[in-house]
């Protein structure tokens, strides 16, 4: 750092000090501040202690420094030497010393190395433009996701924000090719936009705004692009050779800060659910703290009729769950004092199969988990 002069601004985020370019910078190698995407992914990072972590495309260093609080050692890479200068300065100002900064193209600075946690907020914007290092070059994203498997230890996680082109009625199909063998995947679909919505979102205001939007739309038309999705994608390197699982979830809200707590629950939940019905019945399940239930009860034919309930949780990756009115009573019984099998036995016999399916769904969605003993 000695001898370099960096004219940057300092942004504060979650107790970190991050050096970045001013908002109005037009440099192609601009180092952005803490964008909403960076905040989202920082929140989604699992809060587990790890020995080794990797931040790919570190920019101001926000994800590397967030992980450095729970990792013994972090390697942070970027192709942009200016970003690394900024990020080193961010680490210094934030009092963080366990990050190693390396320059190079994606995984090339970590050839042959494996990590327990990888984070990457790649330049994912799908567009004809190529000049901005932090934003353009979305075609690289699929390769960055696929190659993660070669850099994860068994049980290790890689977390990405992605955008991708898909058919309007099927956002999952293209992503199946992105998941590398040997990895389970979780995809939380946040949104899909039509090309006109997408271009309006990403083309910045300015005198050439309309011309640029028109150029983007022409480019989409030429390629037959009708829909662009946005999601959080997580890979977990399997510890065995079992069949890889792909869990796809639809978000109804944006992820909240500390959503990584929910990510950990989703992982534990899919593990428990995959062990089969007997394992579920044997678990003493409890609704997790932070769950909010909204439902309407109507008076009909002289009796109270509970309508379906919507469950949300904070912190959240953005998903919600629906509990049918006739199974609402079961939800109150999931308090961790009894095995699920005993709770199901209290239901009318015609509701037990549906009750078991609901419990599995709530476990997979991280609304319910085995009570701590
Ligand atoms: C969207 S920014 C994310 C920055 C930071 N991680 C954050 O979340 O704010 C993408 C980053 O990827 C870097 N990048 C672009 N192409 C790259 C490449 N081929 N290899 C490594 N990093 C690259 C950019 O320089 C930029 O810092």
């Amino acid at each position: 750092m000695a001898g370099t002069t960096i004219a940057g601004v300092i942004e504060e985020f979650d107790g970190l000090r991050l050096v970045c370019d001013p908002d109005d910078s037009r440099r192609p190698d601009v180092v952005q501040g803490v964008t909403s995407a960076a905040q989202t992914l920082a929140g989604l990072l699992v809060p587990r202690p790890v020995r080794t972590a990797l931040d790919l495309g570190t920019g101001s260093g926000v994800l590397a420094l967030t992980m450095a609080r729970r990792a013994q050692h972090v390697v942070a890479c970027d192709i942009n030497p200016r970003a690394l200068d900024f990020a080193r300065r961010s680490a210094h100002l934030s009092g963080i010393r366990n990050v190693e900064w390396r320059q190079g193209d994606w995984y090339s600075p970590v050839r042959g190395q494996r990590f327990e946690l990888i984070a990457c907020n790649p330049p994912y914007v799908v567009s004809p433009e190529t000049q901005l290092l932090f934003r353009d070059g979305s075609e690289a994203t699929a390769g960055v996701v696929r190659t993660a498997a070669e850099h994860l230890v068994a049980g290790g996680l890689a977390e990405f924000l992605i955008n991708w082109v898909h058919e309007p009625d099927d956002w999952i199909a293209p992503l199946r090719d992105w998941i590398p063998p040997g990895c389970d995947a979780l995809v939380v679909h946040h949104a899909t936009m039509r090309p006109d919505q997408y271009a309006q979102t990403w083309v910045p205001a300015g005198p050439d705004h309309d011309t640029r939007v028109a150029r983007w739309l022409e480019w989409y038309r030429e390629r037959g692009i009708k829909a662009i999705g946005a999601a959080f994608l997580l890979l977990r390197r399997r510890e065995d050779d079992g069949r890889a699982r792909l869990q796809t979830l639809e978000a109804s809200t944006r992820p909240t800060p500390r959503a990584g707590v929910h990510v950990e629950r989703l992982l534990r939940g899919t593990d428990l659910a995959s062990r089969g019905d007997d394992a579920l019945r044997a678990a003493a399940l409890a609704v997790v703290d932070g769950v909010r239930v909204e439902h309407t009860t109507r008076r009909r034919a002289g009796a109270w009729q509970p309508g379906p309930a919507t469950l949300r949780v904070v912190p959240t990756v953005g998903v919600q769950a629906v509990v049918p009115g006739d199974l609402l009573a079961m939800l109150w019984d999931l308090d961790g004092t009894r095995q699920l099998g005993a709770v199901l036995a209290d239901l009318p016999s015609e509701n037990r199969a549906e009750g078991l399916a609901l419990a599995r769904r709530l476990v997979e969605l991280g609304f319910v988990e085995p009570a701590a003993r």
Side-chain angles (χ1 to χ4, degrees):
M1 200 156 46
T4 45
T5 307
I6 298 173
V9 298
I10 298 170
E11 284 191 11
E12 305 242 349
F13 169 72
D14 197 18
L16 299 171
R17 289 186 175 167
L18 298 152
V19 184
C20 50
D21 280 307
D23 284 348
D24 57 1
S25 170
R26 294 283 171 266
R27 302 175 57 112
D29 57 358
V30 58
V31 178
Q32 284 205 306
V34 189
T35 58
S36 70
Q39 292 183 38
T40 298
L41 191 52
L44 284 159
L45 293 173
V46 287
R48 61 175 70 171
V50 292
R51 272 167 300 188
T52 54
L54 170 66
D55 177 15
L56 277 182
T58 194
S60 67
V62 55
L63 301 177
L65 300 180
T66 300
M67 292 192 289
R69 290 165 158 172
R70 290 184 291 261
Q72 285 174 22
H73 185 73
V74 180
V75 177
C77 306
D78 207 295
I79 201 161
N80 178 1
R82 223 168 144 259
L84 293 168
D85 282 345
F86 278 48
R88 274 194 201 96
R89 186 68 60 100
S90 301
H92 180 72
L93 292 178
S94 303
I96 290 177
R97 295 195 177 79
N98 55 335
V99 184
E100 195 185 322
W101 310 96
R102 299 186 192 168
Q103 193 198 343
D105 186 33
W106 297 126
Y107 295 95
S108 60
V110 291
R111 203 156 279 142
Q113 278 189 273
R114 290 183 186 265
F115 300 85
E116 290 176 27
L117 180 61
I118 298 176
C120 181
N121 172 19
Y124 53 62
V125 178
V126 179
S127 88
E129 305 211 3
T130 54
Q131 71 272 34
L132 289 178
L133 258 180
F134 80 88
R135 186 195 67 181
D136 304 328
S138 63
E139 63 288 347
T141 312
V144 173
V145 171
R146 279 192 210 107
T147 311
E150 296 165 27
H151 294 278
L152 285 174
V153 300
L157 303 178
E159 304 194 37
F160 304 89
L161 291 184
I162 58 168
N163 279 194
W164 75 105
V165 174
H166 62 81
E167 290 301 319
D169 54 354
D170 185 2
W171 60 262
I172 299 171
L175 297 182
R176 292 187 195 284
D177 290 341
W178 292 32
I179 313 301
C183 286
D184 291 332
L186 162 72
V187 185
V188 184
H189 178 223
H190 292 142
T192 283
M193 287 191 223
R194 294 189 313 266
D196 57 315
Q197 298 167 313
Y198 193 83
Q200 290 293 351
T201 301
W202 283 105
V203 175
D208 59 349
H209 173 267
D210 291 354
T211 321
R212 280 171 77 186
V213 167
R215 191 159 67 83
W216 285 37
L217 293 181
E218 181 56 26
W219 189 82
Y220 295 136
R221 249 190 311 276
E222 283 166 10
R223 283 158 185 75
I225 295 173
K226 299 187 198 78
I228 300 166
F232 164 59
L233 188 155
L234 174 138
L235 298 178
R236 177 168 50 169
R237 193 87 168 88
R238 289 188 65 91
E239 310 206 17
D240 57 33
D241 293 331
R243 206 157 64 87
R245 294 193 296 259
L246 169 61
Q247 186 187 16
T248 56
L249 300 176
E250 197 66 63
S252 54
T253 63
R254 293 186 57 77
T256 59
R258 300 199 315 111
V261 171
H262 193 187
V263 174
E264 290 281 25
R265 286 197 188 118
L266 292 170
L267 292 170
R268 289 195 297 267
T270 45
D271 285 348
L272 172 57
S274 74
R275 282 167 46 212
D277 291 349
D278 288 345
L280 265 183
R281 283 199 190 87
L285 299 177
V287 176
V288 304
D289 277 352
V291 167
R292 199 178 68 192
V293 180
E294 283 172 24
H295 73 110
T296 310
T297 300
R298 276 194 307 182
R299 188 95 175 142
R300 186 183 277 168
W304 288 108
Q305 308 242 323
T310 302
L311 271 57
R312 298 194 178 80
V313 66
V314 174
T316 183
V317 301
V319 294
Q320 62 180 34
V322 175
V323 174
D326 54 352
L327 288 177
L328 208 46
M330 175 182 133
L331 190 68
W332 312 134
D333 281 348
L334 296 177
D335 60 4
T337 58
R338 291 189 299 158
Q339 291 182 320
L340 175 65
V343 173
L344 292 173
D346 284 351
L347 295 177
S349 56
E350 68 273 17
N351 283 357
R352 285 183 199 146
E354 203 193 345
L356 177 63
L358 172 67
R360 187 186 308 111
R361 184 79 184 138
L362 294 179
V363 163
E364 284 172 346
L365 289 175
F367 287 93
V368 159
E369 66 180 1
R373 288 178 188 267

